[in-house]
Amino acid sequence: MTATLLDGLGVLVTNDPTHPHGDGTPLGRLVDGAVVLADGAIAWVGPRRMAPAVDVRLDLGGRALLPGFVDSHTHLVFARDRVGDFTAVTGGRPEAAGGIASTVAATRAADDAALRTTATRLRGELTRAGVTTVEVKSGYGLTIADEARCLALAGELTDEVTFLGAHVVPPEYAQDRAGYVALVCGAMLDACAPAAHWVDVFCDVGAFDVDEARAVLLAGQERGLGLRVHANQHAPGPGVQLAVELGAASADHCTHLTDRDIEALAAGSTVATLLPTADLGVRGPFPDARRLLDAGAVVALATDCNPGTSFTTAMPLVVALGVLALGMTPDEAVWAATAGGARALRRGDVGQVRVGARADLLCLDAPIPEYLAYRPGVDLVHAVWRAGTVVHRGR
Ligand code: NIG
Ligand code: FE
């Protein structure tokens, strides 16, 4: 076993408010801190003057060290981008956009190799952006066979695989919504649940109503899947309340919230996952993170990487928007993109720098994490470790 000491840190963000040498805030900052990695895990965290003897010492030159980002919401398995939609919408011709249905048609027509190439390329982008844990959804197949193969491809990239057969009603079921919901709740889940950890449903105008969404979530739960909900993205609605009522791990988007939605999130166990690049992508309003946080809700930030509304892997930009557009403090946004994402995936082994956690780390070419918001859109990633191995070296 080789033990490596990461030394010469600027601020160390642990997300451990109880660390005896930390500052006691949720970020658990240590100044003059050091970290020892061994066997893919964090073996020691503390002041550098107390560091144990190690085999290898790496001086990080005064740079900040954080837990790797946990991106708890992506749609990486699809064929063909939708730059044509983007050009149409931004050019004032929204009626010319093909929407999710056009990605479904392209994905069905693509072979596994093409889908794998795109998903792997995007996973690589996420790594270079500092993401060390990622959730990946299906949702562009929408037949039993296509959903099953999209989940298998997602499973090549991550353990956090989500079945989103209820993304939209596919065109061949346009006249038979009930038939599609029955397919999802029956044969499709039977075939897909073994390859997934989570079930998600898009509960919103233009997608599934609350009764349909409830049926899909309960059918997934019966087969052992955890629950996630795309909720209140385009309009206020029942999605958030449904997520909280069923104890879903996460209600995602939360762009349009009522006071009752906020109270429910604050009182329940469901994380509010905010996706500001998706709000930016549709030139819509941003969610009011300040009200959620002040009410006591747990907030996560994620990319929603998908070919339509949010074709980005830039988790640092998501953090910047959390601060600059959503009203979060830098500490809240950094926590939401690391520990918050881990909470949204109900993971205790990532999103923190504490003994026993997986050694997933992000070193910024900046002394403190506030630079993520202070320098929006600038690539500040210096190095990324996953399970103790360097997976990216940047500037
Ligand atoms: O999370 N909200 C639904 N689904 C995606 C958009 C998918 C697409 O446009 O292809 C989202 O924003
Ligand atoms: Fe999404």
Side-chain angles (χ1 to χ4, degrees):
M1 163 181 112
T2 302
T4 302
L5 175 73
L6 305 185
D7 195 2
L9 310 185
V11 158
L12 167 64
V13 173
T14 65
N15 288 338
D16 178 1
T18 66
H19 193 288
H21 298 278
D23 66 357
T25 67
L27 283 198
R29 291 177 192 238
L30 269 74
V31 180
D32 285 331
V35 177
V36 175
L37 320 181
D39 284 339
I42 308 284
W44 181 88
V45 184
R48 57 182 306 205
R49 64 178 190 285
M50 295 169 65
V54 292
D55 308 295
V56 179
R57 176 177 167 272
L58 194 62
D59 188 332
L60 293 178
R63 297 180 176 89
L65 191 69
L66 291 69
F69 291 130
V70 178
D71 187 353
S72 60
H73 183 138
T74 79
H75 308 246
L76 302 189
V77 185
F78 63 86
R80 276 220 308 268
D81 68 29
R82 298 223 298 276
V83 70
D85 282 15
F86 183 81
T87 306
V89 171
T90 54
R93 293 176 294 106
E95 68 286 353
I100 293 174
S102 63
T103 301
V104 171
T107 302
R108 288 175 175 179
D111 62 18
D112 286 2
L115 297 175
R116 182 180 290 115
T117 297
T118 300
T120 304
R121 179 172 53 79
L122 293 169
R123 180 67 187 93
E125 285 186 15
L126 286 164
T127 296
R128 294 191 289 281
V131 174
T132 48
T133 300
V134 63
E135 179 262 17
V136 179
K137 301 175 198 299
S138 65
Y140 294 115
L142 309 188
T143 65
I144 294 174
D146 287 308
E147 283 296 298
R149 70 191 183 103
C150 289
L151 290 170
L153 289 161
E156 294 177 8
L157 300 175
T158 184
D159 292 336
E160 300 295 347
V161 173
T162 300
F163 168 68
L164 181 59
H167 195 183
V168 291
V169 175
E172 65 276 17
Y173 278 91
Q175 306 310 317
D176 182 17
R177 297 181 61 83
Y180 187 65
V181 173
L183 176 70
V184 170
C185 292
M188 198 183 280
L189 259 167
D190 285 340
C192 290
H197 186 95
W198 303 99
V199 58
D200 194 345
V201 57
F202 185 13
C203 181
D204 216 319
V205 289
F208 294 90
D209 70 23
V210 67
D211 294 329
E212 294 165 338
R214 182 190 299 275
V216 170
L217 292 169
L218 292 177
Q221 193 171 51
E222 270 172 28
R223 290 163 177 83
L225 302 182
L227 311 184
R228 327 187 65 76
V229 184
H230 277 71
N232 302 45
Q233 177 184 15
H234 296 306
V240 164
Q241 305 270 349
L242 178 69
V244 175
E245 178 199 321
L246 298 183
S250 182
D252 298 51
H253 287 285
C254 294
T255 306
H256 297 273
L257 296 181
T258 63
D259 289 347
R260 279 193 59 225
D261 295 330
I262 291 173
E263 282 162 24
L265 287 163
S269 61
T270 300
V271 173
T273 299
L274 309 183
L275 309 168
T277 48
D279 302 305
L280 192 66
V282 299
R283 300 201 271 199
F286 290 104
D288 191 343
R290 190 70 270 134
R291 282 178 66 214
L292 280 165
L293 288 160
D294 289 346
V298 177
V299 171
L301 287 167
T303 63
D304 193 15
C305 179
N306 76 74
T309 55
S310 184
F311 198 20
T312 184
T313 46
M315 199 67 179
L317 179 64
V318 171
V319 173
L321 288 170
V323 175
L324 300 173
L326 273 55
M328 304 172 85
T329 66
D331 278 34
E332 288 166 342
V334 168
W335 190 93
T338 51
R343 288 279 288 271
L345 293 172
R346 301 214 162 141
R347 292 280 295 264
D349 60 330
V350 297
Q352 307 166 48
V353 181
R354 60 158 179 79
V355 173
R358 200 168 73 192
D360 289 359
L361 296 160
L362 164 61
C363 181
L364 298 178
D365 187 22
I368 57 175
E370 280 83 346
Y371 276 74
L372 286 166
Y374 176 49
R375 306 214 58 207
V378 176
D379 176 10
L380 295 175
V381 176
H382 174 69
V384 182
W385 291 257
R386 191 165 185 285
T389 299
V390 175
V391 289
H392 174 62
R393 278 190 201 287
R395 55 185 267 168

